[in-house]
Amino acid sequence: MSWTRFFPRAYWDAERTRELQSYLDIETDDNIARGLPPDQARYAAMRKLGNVTRIREEIYEMNTLGLTDAAFQDLRYGWRTLRTNPGFAAVAIFSLAIGIGSNVAIFQLLDAVRLRALPVRSADQLVEVKLERGKGGRTGEFWGRRPQMTSALYGQVLQHQRSFEGVLAWGTNRFNLSPGGEVQPANGLWVSGSYFEVLGVGASVGRVLHPGDDQPGCGGTPPAVISHMFWQRHFGGETSVVGRQISLDNHRFEIVGVTPPAFFGVEVGRTFDVAVPLCAEPLVNGEDNATSARDHWWLAVLGRLPGGVSPTDATRALQTLSPGIFEATLPTSYAAADVKNYLALRLTTEPAVTGVSGLRSAYGTSLWMLLGIAGLVLFIACANLANLLLARATAREQEIAVRLAIGASRWRVTRQLMTESLLLATLGALAGLVVAGPLSRFLVAFLSTDDAPLFLDLQPHWHILIFTAGVALAASMIFGAAPAIRATRARSGTALQGGARSVRGGGERFGLRRGLVVAQLAVSLVLVVGALLFASTLRNLLTLDAGMRQDGVLIVSLDYSGRQVPVERRGALSHRLLERVQGLPVVTSAAASSNAPLSGHFWNENVLVGASPESAGLSNLNRVSADYFKTMGVNVLSGRVFAPTDGLGSPPVAVVSQAFASRLLRSPNPLGKTFRFVVGPGRPVTEYQVVGLVNDTKYSTLREAFEPLAYLADSQDRKPDNGLRLVVRSDAPVSVLAPAIKQVIADVDPAILIQFQTLRSSVVDSLLPERLMALLASFFGLLATGLAVVGLYGLTTYMVARRRREIGIRMTLGADQRSVVGLIMRECVMLLAVGLPAGAVAAVFAARAAASMLFGVPNGALALVGAATGLMALIGLAANYLPARRAGLLRPVDALRSE
């Protein structure tokens, strides 16, 4: 049998029918010619040919695949069955679409972040070269999103390695396209000249960078390669873009090419606008460049393995080279303890077939947990659907009994019912794919911020199709198997008796349905508790007392690096800019701050009190002006803040927090005490005297504990940066305050770059994982509650319908409305009494498992579990009161007549 004969089998059956009919007609005519009457002639011809239907069946079976043909028949029958029950089909497909679509949307994010290979040549040969011990053992400055290496380390790896076919380095940067005024940011990459060559990526227009572009000094005008997306957005896709110049941080670069549309770099979740060679970094950053500093960590390194070399082999070779590499790149500024830690570092490799990404650590746990939550919602939807199918199976008992009675096997009927379930799951999965697209795009948009836009490839992929098919198959097995088996276990003779249903209307018949509802209630309670936990975590963080006032503060970042202001004049320029902003009528107070509060950035140093090295401890630092504490609402507990007399010529002073005083100075009254930073040999030692004590404040994130914090005087900075960060408090809206600040800055120098962000929006952006969990857990919790309540309501309604005769007899014998309502409600209470305690126990264990993702929630969250249990009980009782009351209003004569 071949498929070419299988598909046109209906045509051939019609053809054979015509041939057989023709044979009968000819034979009949021959018999008539022989003298037989027409009816006897026809009868004789039929006897000679045999059973026509049997002959057609034999021919048909020869031209078909039995199992496949039966599957098509089952599908056609199932489709007709669904069309006759459009309401049931719509509810079932909608439930599955929500459940499957949610799972697919979250898996789509996981696939894009974790599973999909980079769109480069032979991505399976790529490995990341990194430090074996992570951040430990390193001090200095850390730039960009993946600060794994210094320039010196990359140079040593490049020079001594023999395990790789090629090595590349890259770092991230936020360039500014605007020559002055408000900043126009562009996502940039510093890349080695070998970057595109090692990845095997060519250009769609022009050329990519090559090793000759990455030479010291970068020649005249450094080259730049732009991404396809930036090319379309910024240049309108003009092919003449090659050879044009672009301004990056007030430096001119020549565009030499455009990358292919599918290439986004090697960092999953991020994309770039422009890539420039590493040699351009000193030209852009000047004397503060990272290339010449051995303690500036700003690069990540990838290598391509040749055939036959495994990552383990490469790691072994790098481990052998490590002592010499770290000895040759030891930063001269390191103190003795830092030297020991640095020399203990070792290089290792990690497969990079799917690229590298900080999203995996930031959102990996959240996404896996959300996938688990979505799976539980799908389970609840399947349980609801199983209950509906059980009800339908009861209604189809006589149909199934007839089929069994005329010879169909139980397996044949079961297969038919399972095919109907699979058809439902397939339709639900197709609808789920439609739901998943917008949902996954919403999640990506939700996780994106202005400072950190998220880019993920959400195009359909075979991973997604396989996952969707697997989920649909599993769902069909969950909601279809039990009803199919239960339907075929009924006795044919009993099912054909009209009054049989009332006889079997007892508790045994509803056991499976009760079990499904109990499971729904338990799982729903777990999801509701989860939603309350994550919502409480977000609320706790947003309402946390961080030791400062967060509302009404605008963070203003000024950059005048393009003006080439000498170091000795930067302090005066910053002071002048601050005074102009403070003089605005709409400004309540303003101050300089080297580090924006709660921004996720940090600056810390080892602090030494006295001469003993054992007294050293780590402290966060911030360099601020005098009005910082007033602007941020930080309370001065004793002493004073910085005064105009605290200048470069006066002794260095500091204001410290309570944690600094208690842990490092070991005194509740630190005024007059001194401390200094641990520095390497040959570097000047500065001793700071404590002149003020302020309350503790959160420094980098809201989740951290109160850590030691020392404030240094901005007026005593001997090497100010080429920029200034201001914190401005005002009662005026940002739409009024920002233009006013922009105007006074432009009056001083229109070339100064300005960037605005409110402190509150910065804090909210830093809580993206918590907001994601709170939002989606709440959505799934509400959805699960709704499905469980619908399931409970449906079961009660069905039981009332099946027990109408029993209720009628009870009322005939004297039962009143209250006793009937109580009878039905007792059933509901029994289900709640079993399902909710089981869910409460599971919720307590789930809360403990997710403890690392919570904040400010007591261990076990018993109060939330109790509240959620009570809420679910009230909702369940309310949902059942309506069918119970309807049963109480039933007239006995109507109930008995309907039987």
Side-chain angles (χ1 to χ4, degrees):
M1 230 302 290
S2 67
W3 291 103
T4 56
R5 295 171 63 187
F6 172 75
F7 286 108
R9 61 194 187 285
Y11 167 79
W12 289 114
D13 179 56
E15 187 69 19
R16 298 293 177 267
T17 303
R18 285 192 294 271
E19 287 181 7
L20 293 172
Q21 187 60 45
S22 175
Y23 174 83
L24 285 176
D25 292 342
I26 294 172
E27 188 64 23
T28 301
D29 291 342
D30 290 346
N31 290 338
I32 293 174
R34 293 186 188 105
L36 291 176
D39 54 340
Q40 292 184 13
R42 183 73 177 178
Y43 182 67
M46 292 178 64
R47 279 192 305 173
K48 183 177 181 181
L49 178 62
N51 190 328
V52 176
T53 303
R54 181 59 187 161
I55 294 172
R56 285 177 56 200
E57 286 180 351
E58 289 177 354
I59 297 174
Y60 186 88
E61 288 172 358
M62 287 189 293
N63 289 332
T64 190
L65 298 172
L67 191 60
T68 306
D69 194 51
F72 274 105
Q73 291 176 5
D74 290 345
L75 283 174
R76 282 197 299 270
Y77 183 78
W79 176 251
R80 287 199 301 270
T81 304
L82 292 180
R83 288 181 61 185
T84 57
N85 296 277
F88 164 78
V91 171
I93 293 172
F94 176 77
S95 301
L96 289 170
I98 296 297
I100 295 177
S102 303
N103 280 269
V104 172
I106 295 173
F107 179 78
Q108 203 166 5
L109 295 187
L110 278 169
D111 175 64
V113 172
R114 284 188 168 275
L115 305 179
R116 200 170 297 188
L118 288 174
V120 300
R121 173 174 59 87
S122 302
D124 57 327
Q125 295 180 338
L126 295 176
V127 294
E128 184 181 19
V129 180
K130 56 193 301 185
L131 301 179
E132 191 175 53
R133 296 172 56 187
K135 290 198 302 182
R138 298 186 297 165
T139 58
E141 295 196 26
F142 296 83
W143 292 3
R145 292 191 297 269
R146 205 164 185 85
Q148 292 282 335
M149 297 275 186
T150 63
S151 292
L153 272 173
Y154 168 60
Q156 286 291 312
V157 171
L158 193 62
Q159 180 180 350
H160 296 290
Q161 70 82 21
R162 298 292 181 270
S163 303
F164 301 110
E165 189 177 285
V167 177
L168 66 88
W170 62 280
T172 61
N173 191 42
R174 190 90 161 158
F175 288 116
N176 172 42
L177 301 173
S178 171
E182 193 158 358
V183 170
Q184 296 179 27
N187 296 309
L189 289 181
W190 305 108
V191 298
S192 62
S194 58
Y195 182 83
F196 294 100
E197 182 180 286
V198 173
L199 293 177
V201 174
S204 61
V205 177
R207 66 173 179 86
V208 294
L209 300 178
H210 52 68
D213 295 318
D214 188 20
Q215 300 299 324
C218 272
T221 304
V225 172
I226 61 176
S227 69
H228 187 275
M229 189 181 300
F230 184 73
W231 177 48
Q232 294 290 328
R233 186 177 68 242
H234 202 74
F235 295 99
E238 296 179 12
T239 54
S240 60
V241 69
V242 175
R244 293 170 64 174
Q245 294 193 344
I246 184 172
S247 173
L248 302 176
D249 288 354
N250 285 314
H251 293 79
R252 309 301 297 177
F253 287 77
E254 181 183 348
I255 298 173
V256 297
V258 181
T259 57
F263 181 71
F264 55 83
V266 297
E267 187 182 15
V268 177
R270 309 294 180 191
T271 186
F272 71 97
D273 295 322
V274 58
V276 298
L278 295 179
C279 63
E281 194 271 337
L283 303 178
V284 174
N285 291 328
E287 59 187 10
D288 297 325
N289 73 84
T291 303
S292 59
R294 289 189 169 188
D295 59 349
H296 280 46
W297 304 83
W298 65 298
L299 295 176
V301 176
L302 264 64
R304 178 177 289 281
L305 296 172
V309 177
S310 68
T312 305
D313 297 334
T315 297
R316 193 178 299 117
L318 287 173
Q319 299 262 317
T320 304
L321 296 172
S322 291
I325 289 177
F326 286 105
E327 185 73 34
T329 58
L330 180 64
T332 55
S333 60
Y334 274 13
D338 295 330
V339 170
K340 181 180 177 182
N341 291 333
Y342 184 82
L343 295 179
L345 293 172
R346 293 293 179 269
L347 295 171
T348 186
T349 63
E350 189 172 286
V353 57
T354 56
V356 299
S357 178
L359 297 177
R360 291 171 189 162
S361 56
Y363 296 104
T365 305
S366 301
L367 289 178
W368 282 117
M369 178 159 289
L370 285 175
L371 187 62
I373 291 174
L376 291 178
V377 172
L378 179 60
F379 168 78
I380 295 173
C382 289
N384 248 353
L385 201 50
N387 257 335
L388 286 174
L389 288 175
L390 281 170
R392 282 188 79 227
T394 303
R396 295 173 64 183
E397 270 185 350
Q398 291 193 351
E399 170 203 337
I400 295 171
V402 169
R403 296 180 65 180
L404 293 173
I406 63 177
S409 66
R410 294 190 186 278
W411 161 242
R412 181 68 185 86
V413 176
T414 302
R415 195 178 70 189
Q416 167 63 42
L417 296 176
M418 288 300 298
T419 302
E420 293 178 19
S421 300
L422 186 60
L423 178 62
L424 266 180
T426 303
L427 295 174
L430 292 175
L433 284 174
V434 175
V435 172
L439 183 56
S440 56
R441 286 193 291 275
F442 165 77
L443 292 176
V444 171
F446 183 84
L447 296 175
S448 294
T449 64
D450 292 338
D451 288 337
L454 194 61
F455 173 82
L456 288 174
D457 182 8
L458 300 178
Q459 296 298 317
H461 193 264
W462 62 269
H463 292 169
I464 308 299
L465 298 179
I466 290 179
F467 178 81
T468 306
V471 170
L473 182 62
S476 68
M477 294 301 295
I478 291 174
F479 70 74
I485 295 172
R486 172 61 65 91
T488 56
R489 284 174 58 188
R491 293 181 180 177
S492 304
T494 306
L496 291 172
Q497 296 175 9
R501 60 178 180 170
S502 295
V503 176
R504 301 192 311 276
E508 184 273 336
R509 184 169 183 78
F510 298 109
L512 179 58
R513 304 194 69 188
R514 288 191 182 109
L516 290 171
V517 170
V518 165
Q520 282 182 273
L521 289 170
V523 175
S524 299
L525 181 58
V526 173
L527 296 182
V528 170
V529 170
L532 291 176
L533 288 174
F534 289 117
S536 298
T537 294
L538 181 61
R539 181 184 60 82
N540 293 340
L541 287 170
L542 289 175
T543 58
L544 177 72
D545 181 7
M548 67 182 83
R549 288 190 291 157
Q550 302 171 35
D551 292 321
V553 175
L554 183 66
I555 300 172
V556 185
S557 300
L558 306 177
D559 182 0
Y560 37 85
S561 58
R563 307 301 296 169
Q564 302 296 322
V565 181
V567 174
E568 60 274 11
R569 292 177 52 194
R570 292 176 188 171
L573 177 59
S574 297
H575 183 68
R576 183 183 173 196
L577 292 170
L578 176 58
E579 280 189 333
R580 297 295 296 268
V581 173
Q582 287 175 327
L584 285 170
V586 293
V587 172
T588 305
S589 64
S593 173
S594 64
N595 194 62
L598 305 174
S599 63
H601 301 142
F602 63 93
W603 168 31
N604 56 27
E605 296 281 357
N606 279 316
V607 171
L608 192 61
V609 179
S612 173
E614 284 73 21
S615 66
L618 195 65
S619 172
N620 293 319
L621 301 172
N622 197 3
R623 194 176 289 280
V624 302
S625 62
D627 285 342
Y628 176 84
F629 306 100
K630 173 186 173 185
T631 303
M632 297 306 300
V634 179
N635 297 321
V636 180
L637 304 178
S638 63
R640 65 174 177 86
V641 295
F642 303 124
T645 54
D646 296 324
L648 293 175
S650 59
V653 294
V655 176
V656 300
S657 68
Q658 292 170 294
F660 188 101
S662 61
R663 296 186 204 174
L664 300 180
L665 300 177
R666 295 181 174 81
S667 171
N669 183 18
L671 301 183
K673 293 184 177 298
T674 61
F675 66 87
R676 57 191 173 87
F677 300 132
V678 178
V679 297
R683 299 187 66 184
V685 177
T686 303
E687 191 164 80
Y688 295 87
Q689 183 181 36
V690 177
V691 297
L693 176 68
V694 297
N695 65 272
D696 286 325
T697 60
K698 300 288 184 180
Y699 179 74
S700 181
T701 66
L702 287 172
R703 277 183 175 267
E704 67 186 10
F706 288 119
E707 299 292 342
L709 173 58
Y711 300 92
L712 308 181
D714 180 64
S715 56
Q716 295 183 325
D717 188 6
R718 296 186 179 279
K719 192 179 177 182
D721 291 334
N722 250 324
L724 176 66
R725 180 171 291 107
L726 301 176
V727 287
V728 181
R729 178 168 295 283
S730 173
D731 295 328
V734 175
S735 59
V736 174
L737 182 60
I741 294 176
K742 194 184 300 183
Q743 183 59 50
V744 297
I745 299 299
D747 291 343
V748 175
D749 189 339
I752 294 177
L753 301 172
I754 311 174
Q755 197 166 13
F756 299 100
Q757 186 177 28
T758 63
L759 178 58
R760 173 55 71 178
S761 67
S762 174
V763 172
V764 171
D765 287 348
S766 71
L767 298 176
L768 270 179
E770 289 81 6
R771 289 168 55 203
L772 176 71
M773 291 303 300
L775 175 69
L776 292 188
S778 300
F779 170 73
F780 287 132
L782 287 174
L783 188 61
T785 303
L787 289 172
V789 168
V790 168
L792 189 58
Y793 173 84
L795 175 65
T796 306
T797 303
Y798 178 75
M799 285 193 302
V800 169
R802 300 293 298 178
R803 298 174 68 178
R804 281 172 61 90
R805 185 181 183 189
E806 175 194 343
I807 293 171
I809 293 174
R810 284 175 179 268
M811 298 184 78
T812 302
L813 296 176
D816 59 6
Q817 178 181 344
R818 178 179 297 180
S819 63
V820 172
V821 172
L823 174 70
I824 302 301
M825 291 301 290
R826 277 196 297 275
E827 182 79 19
C828 168
V829 170
M830 183 191 70
L831 296 175
L832 293 172
V834 176
L836 295 184
V841 173
V844 170
F845 282 104
R848 290 178 178 172
S852 63
M853 302 178 67
L854 306 177
F855 182 85
V857 179
N859 189 25
L862 296 179
L864 287 178
V865 173
T869 304
L871 181 64
M872 286 286 292
L874 287 176
I875 294 175
L877 290 173
N880 274 270
Y881 180 72
L882 189 59
R885 178 176 169 75
R886 201 158 47 227
L889 295 176
L890 193 66
R891 293 197 309 168
V893 62
D894 293 336
L896 296 175
R897 185 183 296 149
S898 66
E899 294 291 327

